[in-house]
């Protein structure tokens, strides 16, 4: 990283904090990864994300919708069917998650030696 | 992301959480960025990371040392001079921080439209 002025430092920190905010917390990442394989219903996501309560899952899904990472589609059936899927913007997280995984693996090797 | 089995999902989540853990929290990122431009003394880092207390900075530096991201060098002078610097492993964070910044900028545009 070349010599950055103080203002450039701060301009750097804000977007990085935004990205960490979106992925941070106990459940967001697992919900995003669960949705990385196509649209799912609430019950399917709840099953894949072990340990999450219905209340927490609906809160996380609302947050992800607000952040335009997930879209919610209601199908006109009886009873109505609701599906959740990653938006194109949500799918743009795949590359970042891959980079985080790669660095996390490296970090484990360096710190734990395995 | 191709179809991943459940076990592969879990194997993915752990390293990503490790990476988020290292960069998470209020101060770590700012300390790492402050050290991205060469070795610095405690006072210099404290000045660059606005608002951090001495107690918090020494705690964060110890944590970064434990994680083998920062090294501490004591120069035999009177009084002794102590400098902190990123290790090679610490410098491997630059690429990840760059990716986080890029995605954070994109996210701002999508969500805030600017």
């Amino acid at each position: 990283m070349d010599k950055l002025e103080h203002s450039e430092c701060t301009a750097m920190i804000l977007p990085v904090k935004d990205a960490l905010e979106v992925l941070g917390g106990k459940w967001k990442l697992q919900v995003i990864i669960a949705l990385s394989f196509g649209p799912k219903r609430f019950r399917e996501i709840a099953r894949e994300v072990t340990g999450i309560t219905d209340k927490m899952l609906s809160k996380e899904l609302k947050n992800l919708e607000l952040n335009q990472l997930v879209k919610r589609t209601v199908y006109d059936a009886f009873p109505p069917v609701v599906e959740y899927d990653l938006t194109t913007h949500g799918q743009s997280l795949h590359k970042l998650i891959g980079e985080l995984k790669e660095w996390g693996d490296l970090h484990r090797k360096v710190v734990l030696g395995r």
Side-chain angles (χ1 to χ4, degrees), chain A residues 42 52-63:
Chain A
F42 188 92
I52 197 167
T53 61
D54 285 1
K55 194 179 160 203
M56 182 54 80
L57 178 54
S58 63
K59 188 183 146 236
E60 293 294 348
L61 285 168
K62 268 198 193 82
N63 177 283

Side-chain angles (χ1 to χ4, degrees), chain A residues 3-57:
Chain A
K3 192 98 194 97
L4 280 179
E5 291 312 317
H6 192 74
S7 55
E8 284 168 313
C9 272
T10 349
M12 175 142 215
I13 287 167
L14 213 58
V16 175
K17 286 212 169 204
D18 284 352
L20 291 174
E21 177 74 29
V22 164
L23 286 171
K26 193 169 173 185
W27 303 108
K28 283 193 200 84
L29 183 67
Q30 294 182 61
V31 173
I32 291 166
I33 289 180
L35 285 172
S36 296
F37 313 111
K40 284 205 169 75
R41 298 183 192 184
F42 188 92
R43 199 44 48 209
E44 289 173 297
I45 306 168
R47 245 198 323 267
E48 277 206 24
V49 182
T50 341
I52 197 167
T53 61
D54 285 1
K55 194 179 160 203
M56 182 54 80
L57 178 54

